[in-house]
Amino acid sequence: MNMVDIENLSFSYNSVPVLRNISFGVAKNCFMSILGPNGSGKSTLINIISGVLKKYEGRISIGDADLSSLASKEAAKLVAVVPQSTDPGFNFTVREMVAMGRYPYINRFDSLRAADEKAVDEVMDKTRLHDFVNRRYNELSGGEKQRVIIAQALVQDSPLILLDEPTSHLDINFQIELMDLFKRLNTEDGKTIVGIFHDINLAIQYSDRVLFLKDGGVFDFGEVEEVVTEENIERVFSSEVYVAKNPFTGKLYINPTFNTQPPRSGNIKDIRIHVIAGGGAASPLLSMLYSHGYKLSCGVVNNLDTDQDTAQRLGIPFVSEAPFSPVSLWAQNKNLEFIRGSDYVILAPLEFGHGNFSNLVSARQALEMGKEVVVIDEEDISARDHTGGKAKELYHKVIGLGANVVKSKEEVLNILGDKR
Ligand code: ADP
Ligand code: MG
């Protein structure tokens, strides 16, 4: 039995139709994201499932209960909602705020019983709120307030938790902290999570399934790997992206193809290129390849370096090292992971010092892995060698091992078979 089953759901606000003929099911223990542009009806859908909006057409089952036949306290024992923010209208203490979530279990004028107090304590532990018990909600930071709101939803003790952009106003570190918490609730406590997330990439890192909503209808629904495609994102959000795999997590992520020199629609190529970069030597190449629609990665660059900046602006994944520090073994290995996943490796005309000598080693390793390696030999290596000859020696070895040598970045396109 699914946790939620929705059949032919339609909904209008004052006779303006907003949701049309929506059907889908959410298995128990699933982590599902609802993705869609502003105004597509995501919040409306969540508000219907949570029982806030009642006059819908169609059928909604929560477990084996028909939602329309549940009294609101009964519904609240099955479904809890974490909204984007809450204004309680009164400066409650943190504990008071959390305890309010027990309302489905308490008669109107009764106070909390021992079991309720215990539930509140447990949830405050889980959300690390114990130090805040007597603090006032209105005086907390955004991230702390959001933990209180989550705790309030958790004390409802419902098997289904709905999230409506619960992390949108927070810094990325808080967002990740809260997403990790939702994931633990999902995997350790068996909660079913259905969430709307502002950040698609964050959503797909944590989700099993995705429902795309567009103009109030289901556009697509399925496993992340099946439905998070360039075509779907482009059609749902009207924005061009490319989808790649995050080598750190093995999960998909999307990259906007920014407006600078975006590849033309339909011109995204399924060819992965890793550019060995640094110090700005690769920036023109990265921009050129990017505008031709190749799937790029680069490294190892140093933080604050021009190539890292370019990669960041273009949404190209990169491996980086602390500013002015030698490349660590960790970064070298991450760089090799990118290389392993690529079809071509291009060595930009870098300056080589002792700190980034390992980038040259990576080029040799790419050849040893059987990768197509292209060396851009724009400027004499002797002038770029700051290692007393060591780099020059390995550079020639790389060429001797069978790398393609070109004199300009434009020639790279010929090798890739791209007619400009
Ligand atoms: P999303 O959460 O995807 O941004 P919403 O569900 O909030 O979308 O809104 C869907 C549509 O319903 C929008 O066109 C919005 O203007 C409209 N809408 C939302 N809330 C109300 C309301 N309370 N009364 C009338 N129209 C509303
Ligand atoms: Mg919304």
Side-chain angles (χ1 to χ4, degrees), residues 112-321:
L112 299 185
R113 288 164 307 175
D116 301 310
E117 300 282 5
K118 184 162 168 276
V120 171
D121 283 333
E122 278 174 12
V123 164
M124 294 200 44
D125 270 341
K126 186 167 290 212
T127 48
R128 299 191 295 109
L129 280 171
H130 257 307
D131 295 342
F132 296 90
V133 211
N134 294 316
R135 293 274 299 280
R136 301 261 158 200
Y137 176 79
N138 289 352
E139 291 150 19
L140 301 181
S141 74
E144 292 159 356
K145 277 183 177 162
Q146 211 52 16
R147 290 221 300 272
V148 175
I149 296 175
I150 292 167
Q152 198 180 60
L154 291 183
V155 286
Q156 275 177 242
D157 202 18
S158 61
L160 173 60
I161 299 178
L162 308 178
L163 312 169
D164 190 349
E165 304 200 22
T167 66
S168 296
H169 300 315
L170 306 178
D171 294 342
I172 183 72
N173 54 324
F174 276 121
Q175 293 192 24
I176 290 171
E177 174 189 320
L178 295 184
M179 292 301 279
D180 285 341
L181 173 62
F182 297 134
K183 193 69 193 175
R184 282 200 304 278
L185 291 167
N186 173 241
T187 55
E188 292 170 17
D189 301 349
K191 304 282 188 192
T192 306
I193 309 271
V194 174
I196 303 170
F197 302 102
H198 184 69
D199 183 328
I200 303 179
N201 278 324
L202 208 55
I204 62 184
Q205 289 296 307
Y206 289 88
S207 301
D208 308 314
R209 294 176 83 81
V210 165
L211 177 90
F212 282 112
L213 265 193
K214 191 186 182 200
D215 302 329
V218 175
F219 185 85
D220 204 351
F221 176 53
E223 306 265 328
V224 170
E225 300 264 335
E226 289 164 15
V227 301
V228 178
T229 61
E230 282 152 12
E231 201 189 346
N232 272 352
I233 306 270
E234 203 166 316
R235 287 172 66 189
V236 172
F237 291 94
S238 312
S239 72
E240 213 167 85
V241 298
Y242 78 83
V243 176
K245 207 163 243 182
N246 182 331
F248 298 88
T249 64
K251 306 265 180 156
L252 297 184
Y253 67 91
I254 65 163
N255 268 315
T257 54
F258 294 89
N259 292 329
T260 40
Q261 305 147 298
R264 297 225 330 280
S265 178
N267 202 18
I268 306 283
K269 299 183 178 66
D270 199 22
I271 295 178
R272 285 163 206 278
I273 301 177
H274 183 75
V275 176
I276 299 176
S283 288
L285 174 73
L286 288 169
S287 302
M288 181 191 78
L289 293 174
Y290 163 75
S291 64
H292 282 259
Y294 291 102
K295 296 181 178 176
L296 300 170
S297 57
C298 77
V300 177
V301 294
N302 283 97
N303 290 333
L304 308 180
D305 149 335
T306 309
D307 282 344
Q308 191 209 43
D309 195 32
T310 302
Q312 224 153 12
R313 279 165 204 273
L314 297 177
I316 296 169
F318 57 85
V319 182
S320 65
E321 191 49 77

Side-chain angles (χ1 to χ4, degrees), residues 343-406:
D343 303 307
Y344 289 88
V345 174
I346 303 181
L347 179 63
L350 315 183
E351 305 274 328
F352 290 105
H354 293 288
N356 72 342
F357 182 76
S358 67
N359 271 338
L360 206 42
V361 177
S362 303
R364 193 196 68 211
Q365 286 169 312
L367 283 160
E368 289 164 353
M369 283 180 210
K371 299 289 171 188
E372 282 263 26
V373 176
V374 182
V375 174
I376 304 185
D377 189 43
E378 243 168 21
E379 201 192 330
D380 193 340
I381 183 65
S382 305
R384 297 191 273 127
D385 182 359
H386 310 288
T387 64
K390 218 171 111 194
K392 185 175 171 181
E393 190 187 328
L394 182 53
Y395 188 83
H396 285 299
K397 198 177 241 170
V398 165
I399 292 170
L401 279 169
N404 292 288
V405 182
V406 296

Side-chain angles (χ1 to χ4, degrees), residues 78-105:
L78 295 174
V79 192
V81 188
V82 180
Q84 203 170 67
S85 59
T86 292
D87 175 7
F90 179 83
N91 203 1
F92 292 106
T93 67
V94 167
R95 193 180 172 85
E96 286 166 339
M97 282 292 287
V98 176
M100 279 176 217
R102 287 302 286 178
Y103 76 92
Y105 301 92

